[in-house]
Amino acid sequence: MTLSVPVSDRRPYVRQTARRTTTAAQRTVLVVVLTLVLGAVLVAPGLVAVLSVATAMLFLTVFMGLRLLLVWASRGYRAPQVAAVADEDLPRYTTLHPMYDEAHMLPSVVAAMEALDYPKDRLECLLVLEERDTATVEAARAYPLPDYVRVVVTPAVEPYGKPKACNYALQFATGEFVVIYDAEDRPEPDQLRLAVGTFRAAEDRGEPLGCLQARLVFDNEVPDIDGEGRVRRDEEGYDLRPTTWTSRLLGNEYAVHFDLVLTGLARLGLPVPLGGTSNHFPVHVLHEVAFDPDEMPSMPLPDASVGAWDPWNVTEDAELGGAIAAAGWRTAVMDSHTDEEACLTARAALNQRSRWVKGYAQTSLVLMRNPIRAAHSMGLLGYLAFLLQVGGTFVSLALSPIFWTIFVVYMLTGSPRIIALFPGPLYYAGMGLLIVGNLALLSISLFAAVRRERFGTVRYLLLCLPAWWMLLSAATYLAAVELLVPSWRPSWNKTAHGVRYASPTRRAAIATSVALAEWRRDRPAGNPVRVVSRPAVHFLAADRCGTAVIRPATPAVTRVLDPSRAAPVQSRPARAVPSRPVPAVASGPAALRPAAAGVPVPRGAVTAAAAVGESPRGPVAPRARRRGRPVRDVPKPPVRWLPESPQPRSPSAVPVPAPVGAPGAERRPGLRVPVREMPGRQAPVPGGSVPSRARGAVAVPVGS
């Protein structure tokens, strides 16, 4: 599917530089139009205002229609066929690397070229430097460059910039094909082989393929994440691949431009405004479309510069794409990408976008110097599409804030003057363009993000896209100011590469960590402290209390535990003891089991005669100890539970020793043992295996 005009029906295209923004004829036409408009304003200001609004809305509708058409056409785009080329048949390939004030990028450039899967004996890399950039020149000459890398120093002649440097370096190129790479570019390893195979296949088909554009991708649109989901950082805490909202939205713009717009233009056979890098050309095509040498700046002799790029145009790549189409050559988008680095701050993005928009305006003004001849060379549809693509971007970004301001003022004030600007059908057309147009732009951006699997960019589009449109409009007005000032027209807003960046929060964290490290380093060293781990202690289970021998705290307690021992001699006469028998405590393991009468033996009550490893429930195997910290087994102190309200004793009653823990047993008057409150439990059940007590009962330890 193509909308271009056959080469036989084209007229020769004469390229003109952007050294002059406008010609005398253009200025005359502009003065006449402004005079007519001013006269109409004096006669019928309302009618002129309505016609101006209608014209602007018609232009925006056509521009949006072209954008949607290109997106639709891109879905059916297929990359050109590739012919297989053996290694011995690969031609010599030249790569141009224009650099300015980028001495720190030399290792990256060499590493990217070393990674190319192309025979190094057929590869020629030219580092194109500026004579006035002494730091980069000296660094390049001192750097250990490979044999296939050469340094080309461009004389310090105005205008400065990338296009003039490439024109000067092209005379030293010895390859059959040439490509431009920026300092931060990292092309796919097989990109040169793919380009050669595509050009060879086009030659076999007889297709006039004059340029191959690789897709550009901002790799810092997403952060560099390791396998555990953490952002990779260097030793100082800076991200290895810093990402901001600016880099995400710039990456999305590249996705829309290279994946949708350029592929749609290529499929329809329309002129393609090239990107600034990864443009592959046959060298003879650049010589064919070159400017007249008299149009180029004077360089020191001997000089054989090739004027392939306009040195006064700050988007020389887009202008060259139109010249290639006007000469009858086609441009295709190859199925390969080159990683680049996006701006990280809004200020850097503003400067970069103002340069791009200014270059688009320069290209449009040059195309409109002789529109009839340009239309015959490119074809009417090709000329209009190319002019609308480059010039329409400038005009649409300039009109957007005007219409948004009118809409906001109308919503706040409801001014009848604004209502008068949109009579009848124009009002509904304006509302439709406002809603449908903005939703279409948002949908295109979302589609491009999802197509490249940049799912993290979707939320930035939903939150920051209006702010991004405002930034682009501000860049457009800045570009207009630079066009009006003669000394600012050829100014080149250089984009810094290889920037180390951290967000304000991250910078604060880095500064805090550095300050803490310095404080720890400078503080005086104190006495050495030896950290000793506390031994872990755990209580034995109830059935293991028999493995330890409990030392009675008082003789009275000892007598209760072992009545066989004689009581100490008392100084006063003993009270009369009733004839009630006292249950004896036998020695040995059998004494630890419940009696036949059902009287429970208190938990933990053992004697010195109890064998080690035995308990009231029978023999217990020694517990296997785990390796690690020393563990000290401490048995829980046996506890005797008393009822909440013990019955008062009769004055005549004589206390009789009773087994500890027997139901209804009373505390002996001579036994002074600390008493502590325990959580509420149910009253002890005679014959039960688990003692319990009621709420508020008193627990008396029997031994310690």
Side-chain angles (χ1 to χ4, degrees), residues 82-332:
V82 181
V85 181
D87 289 353
E88 57 272 11
D89 297 331
L90 290 174
R92 188 168 180 81
Y93 220 114
T94 301
T95 62
L96 303 180
H97 305 269
M99 304 173 63
Y100 179 76
D101 196 17
E102 292 177 321
H104 61 286
M105 297 299 295
L106 286 172
S108 300
V109 173
V110 175
M113 294 300 99
E114 286 287 336
L116 289 177
D117 182 18
Y118 204 84
K120 297 303 184 288
D121 58 340
R122 293 177 176 85
L123 183 62
E124 179 188 42
C125 301
L126 301 181
L127 302 182
V128 187
L129 312 179
E130 293 277 355
E131 184 181 12
R132 57 196 179 102
D133 184 15
T134 56
T136 306
V137 172
E138 294 176 358
R141 289 174 176 172
Y143 194 82
L145 299 174
D147 297 337
Y148 57 88
V149 179
R150 291 190 297 159
V151 177
V152 176
V153 180
T154 306
V157 176
E158 293 185 352
Y160 305 117
K162 174 181 174 180
K164 188 205 67 176
C166 291
N167 288 337
Y168 182 80
L170 193 57
Q171 62 181 318
F172 302 101
T174 60
E176 180 181 351
F177 301 100
V178 64
V179 62
I180 297 179
Y181 289 131
D182 287 342
E184 81 279 9
D185 286 357
R186 293 179 300 278
E188 283 189 304
D190 62 341
Q191 189 173 118
L192 299 187
R193 288 179 176 268
L194 187 62
V196 171
T198 305
F199 281 120
R200 291 288 187 257
E203 292 175 2
D204 297 340
R205 297 192 306 268
E207 179 182 348
L209 184 60
C211 177
L212 282 175
Q213 172 68 67
R215 306 170 191 260
L216 301 184
V217 177
F218 282 141
D219 62 344
N220 61 338
E221 182 182 353
V222 293
D224 189 7
I225 304 297
D226 58 12
E228 299 180 357
R230 295 176 298 183
V231 178
R232 289 191 175 94
R233 297 187 172 95
D234 57 11
E235 296 80 2
E236 299 182 9
Y238 287 86
D239 295 354
L240 294 180
R241 192 167 66 196
T243 302
T244 62
W245 71 277
T246 307
S247 66
R248 286 186 179 273
L249 294 184
L250 275 172
N252 182 258
E253 270 202 353
Y254 262 32
V256 173
H257 186 67
F258 289 94
D259 293 353
L260 304 179
V261 175
L262 296 192
T263 53
L265 291 171
R267 186 192 177 196
L268 298 177
L270 300 174
V272 177
L274 301 177
T277 178
S278 300
N279 317 128
H280 300 259
F281 310 95
V283 175
H284 68 88
V285 173
L286 295 179
H287 284 270
E288 180 180 340
V289 302
F291 287 95
D292 191 326
D294 296 336
E295 296 284 340
M296 295 293 99
S298 300
M299 303 290 288
L301 298 176
D303 175 55
S305 300
V306 180
W309 294 272
D310 185 357
W312 285 276
N313 195 325
V314 294
T315 53
E316 75 292 340
D317 41 18
E319 190 276 337
L320 179 58
I324 290 176
W329 297 92
R330 295 192 60 184
T331 300

Side-chain angles (χ1 to χ4, degrees), residues 437-476:
N438 287 283
L439 287 179
L441 290 176
L442 176 61
S443 302
I444 292 173
S445 299
L446 293 175
F447 175 69
V450 173
R451 189 174 183 179
R452 282 194 175 183
E453 298 183 355
R454 305 298 195 190
F455 303 107
T457 307
V458 172
R459 64 176 181 270
Y460 289 90
L461 291 173
L462 298 176
L463 296 176
C464 304
L465 195 58
W468 181 251
W469 289 342
M470 293 174 60
L471 184 143
L472 297 182
S473 297
T476 302

